[in-house]
Amino acid sequence: MYTCDKSRLEGTVNEFSSFGSTPNKGVTRLCFSQEDIEVRNYFKNCCEELGLDVVWDDMGNMYATLAGKKDIPPIVIGSHLDSVEKGGRFDGVLGVLTGLEVVKTLIDHKEEQIAPIVVMNFTNEEGARFDPAMMSSGVLANKFEKEKMLQSTDKNGMTFKEALEASGFAGHKANRLKQASAYLELHIEQGPVLESEKLEIGVVEGVLGMVCYEITITGESNHAGTTPMQLRKDPFFLATDLISAMRRELSKIDDALVFTMGRVTVTPNIHTVIPDKVVFTLEARHQDPAKIREVEEVIFDLPKEENGCKVSFEKLWSRDTVEFNEAICQHIQHACEEYNYSSKRMYSGAGHDAQFMASYIPSAMIFVPSVNGKSHCEEELTSFEDCAKGANVLLRTVLALQKSISKQELKTL
Ligand SMILES: [Zn+2]
């Protein structure tokens, strides 16, 4: 049983990280920045040198195709080459480059493919320059309206449309991925679970559902020195009481529930003034929609009025849990067993292009461990040993899928 080439993969990851490299071994490759355009062209050249056919669609999503014996729906391996500001060398890019490594390995072994294999680079997965994240997989899956996305603007007032057109990667809508027999995405875990449990591979069964609310508490501003305590309508003191109480209630729901109060705004935020308004967010994620509803109950139970302050809330957004394709998860698990890699079934707490692709293509993901669970920062690291193991699992999964496709093809003869 052959494997991918670890040192070749290491070399490729290092080459790609030179585009937009930062002093501390990270990368900044915002969507359609000079660095992103350069890495796209480099990716295109690497693929064409291997004899792959490279096209891009009207959102700039790139498709590099290794022809199969039959012109049937392909097996797609994808992720993204863009990064956040001072991001890591592995987030996204590893999914594209392990895809490329799989293709190189298949070519080395003259392994004939029945279905074509497509290695994909999704445009603007991070949403770091143009909101929202996973923009282009969202357009492919009809989750986002293209016209709206084109108007998304960066902090300098440039629209996504202008950046797309200037990049040279505005292709034809006809090139969009319409059908595939499978979508596979290898990604760093971006969390500490695999490392802390000393596991090599995560078989990702889905993406956690989530909900995000904004809670507003309105009181009354006044002088910090002249207003007696009992005459104040201080929304910040009420906020701290409510936040503590909510934390206690949320902790009781389920051990697997994760929740975050990540944004707090106190107005006017002056040390000599009693605040008049506090706005904070509560975001929670869990696999089971019933647990998410329990989170919402905690919010619904907040007092409407207390200590002279008014409390209101608004749902900012939510996402249903996405379940990946079980047959593909089983192929991934078998691949781990074949190589004797330790693995576990898990859900992704973070969003990925795969969650949108799963709406119209049978999809699943492979996680590899993140050192110290760190991601979206320069310290992001996965050992090349683990990267290569992930690539091997991807390779074996592709071969297993090809096998089952050829069985089906025989049946239809
Ligand atoms: Zn990513």
Side-chain angles (χ1 to χ4, degrees):
M1 198 169 62
Y2 59 85
T3 59
C4 290
D5 184 334
K6 186 189 131 204
S7 55
R8 180 171 60 190
L9 177 63
E10 180 172 350
T12 317
V13 171
N14 287 335
E15 276 168 32
F16 275 70
S17 66
S18 69
F19 296 90
S21 64
T22 57
N24 300 312
K25 283 196 148 188
V27 294
T28 299
R29 218 159 40 219
L30 300 180
C31 173
F32 292 141
S33 60
Q34 194 52 43
E35 297 78 17
D36 186 40
I37 294 168
E38 282 169 14
V39 84
R40 283 168 164 267
N41 281 307
Y42 186 66
F43 173 64
K44 173 177 173 279
N45 293 343
C46 292
C47 293
E48 284 175 347
E49 267 171 34
L50 287 170
L52 308 189
D53 178 46
V54 184
V55 297
W56 42 92
D57 66 21
D58 56 327
M59 290 298 287
N61 295 314
M62 299 175 72
Y63 308 84
T65 305
L66 174 71
K69 273 193 284 187
K70 292 205 161 186
D71 191 17
I72 52 177
I75 295 169
V76 182
I77 306 169
S79 202
H80 57 99
L81 294 176
D82 72 324
S83 84
V84 296
E85 181 101 33
K86 287 193 183 165
R89 290 178 293 150
F90 298 89
D91 178 356
V93 64
L94 190 64
V96 179
L97 298 187
T98 48
L100 202 55
E101 176 56 35
V102 165
V103 166
K104 287 176 187 172
T105 308
L106 294 172
I107 293 173
D108 288 347
H109 289 84
K110 302 192 171 56
E111 186 87 53
E112 263 206 280
Q113 303 301 306
I114 177 149
I117 297 176
V118 175
V119 182
M120 260 194 91
N121 168 34
F122 283 97
T123 300
N124 192 29
E125 191 275 346
E126 294 290 2
R129 181 177 174 198
F130 299 102
D131 210 39
M134 296 167 283
M135 179 192 274
S136 304
S137 51
V139 170
L140 288 187
N142 276 324
K143 304 283 180 188
F144 299 142
E145 254 177 72
K146 181 185 161 191
E147 284 311 310
K148 254 191 208 158
M149 297 301 112
L150 292 178
Q151 296 315 313
S152 180
T153 308
D154 73 5
K155 64 176 188 218
N156 299 318
M158 190 175 199
T159 63
F160 177 79
K161 183 176 190 233
E162 288 163 342
L164 170 66
E165 280 167 3
S167 73
F169 283 95
H172 294 293
K173 192 176 172 184
N175 289 335
R176 285 190 192 183
L177 182 69
K178 288 166 216 78
Q179 258 193 315
S181 56
Y183 174 77
L184 303 169
E185 184 166 354
L186 178 145
H187 206 279
I188 54 168
E189 184 200 341
Q190 304 182 285
V193 175
L194 292 175
E195 186 187 51
S196 66
E197 297 183 19
K198 298 197 166 51
L199 297 170
E200 291 159 308
I201 299 287
V203 181
V204 188
E205 300 181 285
V207 180
L208 294 185
M210 63 184 288
V211 73
C212 184
Y213 275 82
E214 186 178 73
I215 296 135
T216 303
I217 306 179
T218 321
E220 235 172 72
S221 266
N222 216 330
H223 195 288
T226 59
T227 319
M229 294 309 281
Q230 71 274 16
L231 296 181
R232 295 180 182 209
K233 296 174 180 176
D234 186 330
F236 190 51
F237 285 156
L238 179 59
T240 56
D241 288 348
L242 294 179
I243 287 171
S244 302
M246 287 166 86
R247 184 182 168 191
R248 267 194 307 278
E249 288 308 306
L250 294 168
S251 302
K252 289 179 201 158
I253 293 176
D254 191 82
D255 284 347
L257 179 77
V258 287
F259 56 90
T260 309
M261 291 164 177
R263 170 159 64 77
V264 184
T265 321
V266 179
T267 329
N269 210 14
I270 299 168
H271 75 92
T272 53
V273 181
I274 302 165
D276 64 358
K277 195 157 101 174
V278 176
V279 182
F280 63 95
T281 53
L282 169 64
E283 188 233 64
R285 307 184 190 211
H286 197 283
Q287 176 192 342
D288 181 358
K291 300 294 174 199
I292 296 288
R293 274 196 297 280
E294 285 182 47
V295 170
E296 293 184 301
E297 291 298 330
V298 170
I299 297 166
F300 301 160
D301 283 347
L302 286 171
K304 300 275 170 293
E305 214 165 334
E306 203 167 299
N307 300 344
C309 299
K310 285 197 162 51
V311 181
S312 63
F313 54 80
E314 186 193 347
K315 188 177 186 168
L316 294 186
W317 54 290
S318 64
R319 156 180 96 200
D320 292 336
T321 291
V322 175
E323 304 285 352
F324 288 149
N325 181 279
E326 177 53 27
I328 300 180
C329 287
Q330 280 178 21
H331 283 309
I332 296 171
Q333 203 165 344
H334 284 154
C336 295
E337 286 158 13
E338 282 185 285
Y339 285 110
N340 246 328
Y341 299 154
S342 55
S343 69
K344 82 177 276 181
R345 294 280 190 129
M346 60 197 297
Y347 273 75
S348 173
H352 296 289
D353 290 312
Q355 82 193 43
F356 287 146
M357 300 317 283
S359 70
Y360 76 108
I361 293 171
S363 303
M365 292 185 73
I366 299 164
F367 274 175
V368 289
S370 293
V371 174
N372 296 322
K374 289 219 160 198
S375 184
H376 279 189
C377 57
E378 293 173 307
E379 295 93 329
E380 183 182 279
L381 185 66
T382 296
S383 75
F384 285 108
E385 198 72 44
D386 286 339
C387 293
K389 286 173 186 167
N392 289 336
V393 171
L394 192 57
L395 168 70
R396 212 41 59 186
T397 306
V398 168
L399 290 171
L401 286 167
Q402 291 284 17
K403 214 178 202 176
S404 64
I405 292 166
S406 69
K407 269 188 208 154
Q408 284 160 20
E409 284 291 309
L410 280 175
K411 256 189 250 164
T412 56
L413 280 177

